[in-house]
Amino acid sequence: MRLKAEDPIIIALVALGILGGLVAQFMKFPPILVAVLVALGIASAIYRFLGGVAGASIATGSLRLGGTAAVFLAIAWFVNDNLVVQIEIQPNPATWLALDHQDGMPIPVSVGGVERVSVPRTDVLDNHQWSAKLQPDGLRLSSKASRADGTAVEERRFSFGQVSSSTLESLHLYNTLQAGILRFTGPLAAGEGGVNLAPYPLVLHVGDFGDGLSNYEIDSGGASLKGSLRNKAGEVLKIDRRHFLLMVTAADHAPRTEGSRVSREPWVQFGVVELMPRLDTREE
């Protein structure tokens, strides 16, 4: 077979198509690009060296191609379909959410050089079913599996993360409250001080009375807190990382008189109890 003038060009197209297709496939280029290069090389070889393309035709709808164009399109179609099948992923990656396990942020994922998993909208998980449960190692956030149509599925959960017990405690979160010994004082007059509130390390000083309020001052290890309470009212005091509920359990600010003399001065009675908030992570 004698070479023709156009043969160097055809040989170059064959080499470009086949070798270029192999390189493109190796470098993970999109399947359609690989298919076009391979079809170019094979169609060129058939046109010149493998018997020609006389009589070849392909029709789809109102489009009809013949000769080399038909062979090129058929080969490209065939190669592209087979390459796409090879990288087909089930279930559909469009339903996936990929997270970087280092920082937990969404990331894109490419397969075969094609981005198959995109970074979603920031609100994509707003309506998802979540559950949070306290466990011995802390608070775990889980996702509950469900079908797209909302029908029930077998119980399957995946932990998306946790907050450790020590972190929860540092945030002063608790779910259990225990109380210590309830301590009552006797009736105390205004200005009476140095009342020891044992077993707690607290010393109470009663202030004056006015407008239905009983003023007080609490000393503890050099620290001092002042406040005022109405009868039957209370407030929580935080003293050296401990919590105490101080209450006015009874009060009478009107002096009692008998004739011309005062038989009983105004008085107030306090109660105090330590509150011990605790985070209980034991599983039920």
Side-chain angles (χ1 to χ4, degrees):
M1 182 177 63
R2 300 180 63 181
L3 295 178
K4 297 181 179 180
E6 69 270 16
D7 283 350
I9 298 176
I10 295 175
I11 293 172
L13 290 176
V14 172
L16 173 64
I18 296 177
L19 295 178
L22 293 175
V23 172
Q25 175 67 4
F26 177 78
M27 297 183 66
K28 309 296 185 184
F29 280 26
I32 186 61
L33 178 59
V34 178
V36 168
L37 290 172
V38 172
L40 175 64
I42 295 177
S44 299
I46 292 175
Y47 170 79
R48 178 64 183 90
F49 303 110
L50 300 178
V53 293
S57 66
I58 187 172
T60 173
S62 60
L63 177 65
R64 184 179 183 87
L65 298 175
T68 304
V71 173
F72 172 83
L73 182 60
I75 295 174
W77 201 323
F78 174 80
V79 173
N80 180 69
D81 280 355
N82 281 274
L83 289 177
V84 168
V85 168
Q86 291 180 30
I87 63 172
E88 193 69 30
I89 301 174
Q90 293 296 337
N92 187 349
T95 65
W96 295 4
L97 171 62
L99 298 178
D100 188 327
H101 69 86
Q102 297 289 343
D103 57 18
M105 296 297 293
I107 56 174
V109 176
S110 296
V111 179
V114 180
E115 184 176 291
R116 306 303 296 270
V117 181
S118 302
V119 176
R121 305 186 316 272
T122 56
D123 62 348
V124 70
L125 295 177
D126 283 359
N127 297 321
H128 196 70
Q129 293 186 13
W130 299 98
S131 66
K133 184 178 181 181
L134 277 174
Q135 296 183 343
D137 55 354
L139 181 68
R140 284 195 172 274
L141 179 66
S142 301
S143 172
K144 184 177 181 180
S146 61
R147 293 195 180 98
D149 59 5
T151 58
V153 296
E154 59 179 309
E155 185 73 7
R156 290 190 297 115
R157 293 183 179 274
F158 179 80
S159 174
F160 267 86
Q162 79 171 66
V163 182
S164 66
S165 298
S166 59
T167 300
L168 293 175
E169 291 171 354
S170 70
L171 296 173
H172 306 292
L173 298 177
Y174 63 92
N175 59 355
T176 301
L177 185 63
Q178 295 179 328
I181 299 173
L182 185 56
R183 168 78 158 85
F184 294 99
T185 70
L188 303 174
E192 190 168 344
V195 181
N196 190 347
L197 298 180
Y200 305 124
L202 308 175
V203 177
L204 171 68
H205 305 279
V206 182
D208 56 2
F209 305 143
D211 297 326
L213 296 173
S214 300
N215 295 301
Y216 68 86
E217 181 176 353
I218 293 285
D219 289 335
S220 177
S224 178
L225 293 175
K226 294 182 179 181
S228 58
L229 290 170
R230 294 190 181 276
N231 190 19
K232 307 301 182 182
E235 64 178 319
V236 177
L237 307 177
K238 183 179 180 182
I239 301 174
D240 193 24
R241 299 186 179 182
R242 298 172 68 178
H243 298 82
F244 299 92
L245 174 61
L246 181 67
M247 304 165 285
V248 170
T249 58
D252 185 355
H253 294 171
R256 184 178 300 175
T257 61
E258 293 181 359
S260 60
R261 67 183 184 86
V262 176
S263 62
R264 187 169 186 177
E265 296 290 341
W267 59 275
V268 63
Q269 183 179 32
F270 286 92
V272 62
V273 62
E274 182 174 9
L275 303 178
M276 294 170 282
R278 185 169 62 88
L279 182 68
D280 186 359
T281 59
R282 294 174 298 179
E283 294 187 89
E284 298 181 356

